[in-house]
Every structure is written in structure tokens, then in C-alpha cells.
């Protein structure tokens, strides 16, 4: 196993230690150097989780159901390439996805007749999950500014049998102009520095990281959140998520939008007693955040989970 202290960016290691403390940061850093088992979910537009579980076990797969999400599975002691060679993968009966990535749609909790926006949707992991949760009813607008990534999004929607989704290519920060106060629910799964997904033996996962990049992304995330607030109807729900650990991209962005749109939005509790999560922080370095940041959640990397941050807002005016 590689040594994460010798592999990962030194400034990131220092920052993580400041954020979580010596003992916890050591556990997190070691998790970056341990190979996580493949995880996936049943595409309930095509098959039930029980049926998929039986079929895969009949074919010799060793899988484990996830306690907090019965549609999700962990592949035990077998390589992912075995799973992706099956008809269940090739014909869209399942979707390979990290467990942490499945949580934001669960928090968004879309209902059958909702009008939903996935603001930065490609390649479609969460869009397809939302469509399955809505049973292909209601309407989803799946937006992404990248034309190349949109091809992958469209392909995934088709393979998974999604029929309630329209695809748009608009810079997310401007989408509110086309849809002012329009959506019931919006997912802002923001582009981020991806610290929660670092892998020691995959340099491409971390060599692009820098404090300057974190600052740049923080500004982009703020623009996306402002757009989301403007595009949500009164009473609607916004879920903001990232796969990073940086407070600058997480709690600081949430605190900023709460102040910027004071009186329009409020944080609401994320309720799931079995989720492997912790409260968001209310201070970082010399900054004090709103006490309601305790309603946000952090998921720290483990041997099965990637790092994630999730906040849930309601628009009140």
C-alpha cells in the first residue's frame, strides 16, 4: 500500500488534519490508499432490487445490500469488470455508482409529479436515479454546459430507459433566466475539487488539486447556487452537494448563499438515522458560519464510502 503522506498533496494533508484532527485524518488518508469495492444500484425502471439480487447471486456474484438504501449493493471480493460484462449492466438493469453519490437524490426526495432540475447533470448518475425514484413520471430537466459530457448523459438516459427527462446545454449560472421561480426541486451537484474521491495510486485524481483551484471552484459554486435559488418556486427544495471535503466549497458556500438570499431560503434537516454522516461545521479558520450549518451533513471517506457534503434548503419567499 502506498503511503498517502508521501503521495497526496502536502497542503491537502495539512488542511485535512486541521479539519478533522490527527487521528481521523490518518484514517481518511489511509482510506484513499485502500481499494474500495465496486458499488451499484438497481435500475428500478427495469427491475426490482430483489429480482436483480437473485439474478446476480444465481450467476455467482457475491453482493451485499446497503442498509440505508435497499436498492444499492456492494460487490464483494470480485472485480467490477465481471459485473460490467453482464447483460444486467449492458442492458441498463443496474447502474455502477459510488454509494455517497446516491445520497443527494435521496435527500432531494423527488415525487412522481414533481418538476425537477438537475443543474449540472452529466454524465447522469443522479439524473437516472431521480428518474427511477419518480417512476418516469413528472418532468426532469437535465442540464450541463459541456457538449461532450452531454453525449454521455443522453446515452445513459437511453440505456436506463428514462423517458421523463429533457436535456439542455446552458451554463448553470444563467439557467434561472429561462426558468424563473419554476422548479419544485433542484439538485446542484456542483463541480468541485473532488477531494473525497482521491485515490493514492491514481495521480490524475489529485495532481490537479491546489488551494487556488479550490478558491476558483468556490466562486463557480456560488453562481450556481444563486441561479438555483432564483429558479426554485416558493416552497420548493434545493439540494447542494459536492464530493469534496473543503469547507471553502461546502459550508462557506452554504453560509454565503444564506446571507446573500437572506429571508428567501433556509436550511432544513436531513433526516436519515442510518446514514453514515456527521454534522457540518460552523467555523473554519477565522470564519464563523451560521449555526444552522449543523443541519448540513458530511460523509467522510471510508473503505466503502467516498467523501461528500450535502445541504438541503427550502425556499420560503
Amino acid at each position: 500500500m502506498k503511503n498517502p503522506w508521501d503521495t497526496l498533496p502536502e497542503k491537502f494533508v495539512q488542511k485535512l488534519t486541521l479539519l478533522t484532527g490527527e487521528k481521523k485524518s490518518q484514517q481518511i488518508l489511509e482510506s484513499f490508499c485502500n481499494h474500495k469495492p465496486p458499488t451499484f444500484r438497481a435500475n428500478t425502471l427495469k427491475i426490482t432490487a430483489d429480482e436483480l439480487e437473485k439474478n446476480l447471486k444465481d450467476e455467482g456474484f457475491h453482493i451485499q445490500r446497503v442498509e440505508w438504501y435497499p436498492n444499492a449493493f456492494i460487490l464483494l471480493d470480485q472485480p467490477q469488470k465481471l459485473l460490467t460484462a453482464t447483460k444486467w449492466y449492458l442492458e441498463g438493469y443496474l447502474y455502477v455508482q459510488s454509494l455517497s453519490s446516491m445520497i443527494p437524490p435521496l435527500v432531494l426526495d423527488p415525487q412522481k409529479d414533481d418538476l425537477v432540475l438537475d443543474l449540472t447533470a452529466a454524465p447522469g448518475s443522479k439524473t437516472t436515479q431521480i428518474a427511477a425514484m419518480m417512476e418516469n413520471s413528472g418532468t426532469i430537466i437535465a442540464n450541463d454546459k459541456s457538449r461532450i459530457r452531454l453525449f454521455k448523459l443522453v446515452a445513459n438516459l437511453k440505456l436506463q430507459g428514462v423517458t421523463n427527462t429533457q436535456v439542455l446545454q446552458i451554463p448553470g449560472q444563467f439557467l434561472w433566466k429561462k426558468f424563473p421561480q419554476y422548479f419544485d426541486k433542484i439538485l446542484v451537484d456542483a463541480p468541485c475539487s473532488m477531494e473525497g474521491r482521491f485515490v493514492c495510486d491514481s495521480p490524475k485524481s489529485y495532481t490537479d488539486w491546489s488551494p487556488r483551484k479550490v478558491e476558483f471552484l468556490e466562486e463557480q459554486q456560488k453562481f450556481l447556487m444563486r441561479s438555483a435559488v432564483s429558479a426554485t418556486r416558493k416552497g420548493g427544495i434545493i439540494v447542494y452537494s459536492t464530493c469534496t471535503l473543503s469547507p471553502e466549497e461546502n459550508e462557506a458556500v452554504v453560509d454565503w448563499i444564506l446571507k446573500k438570499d437572506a429571508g428567501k431560503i433556509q436550511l432544513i434537516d436531513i433526516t436519515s438515522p442510518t446514514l453514515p454522516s456527521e454534522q457540518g461545521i460552523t467555523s473554519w479558520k477565522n470564519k464563523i458560519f451560521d449555526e444552522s450549518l449543523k443541519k448540513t451533513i458530511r460523509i467522510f471517506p471510508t473503505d466503502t464510502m467516498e467523501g461528500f457534503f450535502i445541504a438541503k434548503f427550502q425556499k420560503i419567499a
Side-chain angles (χ1 to χ4, degrees), residues 230-282:
S230 296
T232 306
R233 65 165 180 80
K234 183 179 177 181
I237 298 295
I238 304 164
V239 168
Y240 174 76
S241 62
T242 75
C243 61
T244 197
L245 306 176
S246 282
E248 294 89 346
E249 300 176 69
N250 294 332
E251 287 91 349
V253 171
V254 172
D255 187 69
W256 179 87
I257 195 68
L258 286 172
K259 290 182 171 68
K260 197 74 175 174
D261 284 326
K264 293 182 182 179
I265 54 172
Q266 63 183 11
L267 284 171
I268 56 178
D269 287 314
I270 297 171
T271 54
S272 177
T274 56
L275 264 183
S277 62
E278 299 182 14
Q279 287 182 341
I281 60 176
T282 55

Side-chain angles (χ1 to χ4, degrees), residues 16-66:
L16 182 64
T17 304
L18 180 62
L19 175 64
T20 64
E22 192 78 39
K23 183 178 179 181
K24 182 153 194 158
S25 67
Q26 183 169 336
Q27 294 171 346
I28 293 170
L29 289 166
E30 288 175 353
S31 80
F32 290 137
C33 292
N34 295 329
H35 286 282
K36 292 177 173 55
T39 57
F40 61 96
R41 57 176 170 81
N43 173 19
T44 53
L45 294 177
K46 291 190 171 185
I47 194 169
T48 68
D50 288 343
E51 289 170 330
L52 181 64
E53 181 178 28
K54 182 183 184 304
N55 287 320
L56 288 174
K57 285 184 173 178
D58 286 349
E59 293 181 18
F61 285 95
H62 307 144
I63 56 178
Q64 176 184 319
R65 211 81 171 252
V66 174

Side-chain angles (χ1 to χ4, degrees), residues 4 204 211-212 285 299:
K204 68 179 182 180
R212 179 172 289 184
K285 296 184 177 177
I299 295 146

Side-chain angles (χ1 to χ4, degrees), residues 106-154:
L106 297 179
V107 173
L108 188 67
D109 191 26
Q111 301 301 305
K112 282 188 177 182
D113 296 325
D114 278 343
L115 188 53
V116 177
L117 169 65
D118 191 347
L119 188 60
T120 55
S125 303
K126 298 176 183 68
T127 313
T128 54
Q129 184 182 350
I130 291 168
M133 293 172 72
M134 295 171 69
E135 299 179 19
N136 256 343
S137 64
T139 301
I140 302 172
I141 303 293
N143 179 72
D144 205 279
K145 68 177 182 179
S146 167
R147 190 163 180 265
I148 294 173
R149 284 166 58 85
L150 278 180
F151 287 123
K152 183 65 173 174
L153 170 64
V154 170

Side-chain angles (χ1 to χ4, degrees), residues 82-94:
L82 285 181
L83 184 68
T84 55
T86 65
K87 83 164 193 173
W88 309 108
Y89 173 81
L90 295 172
E91 296 178 14
Y93 290 91
L94 63 84

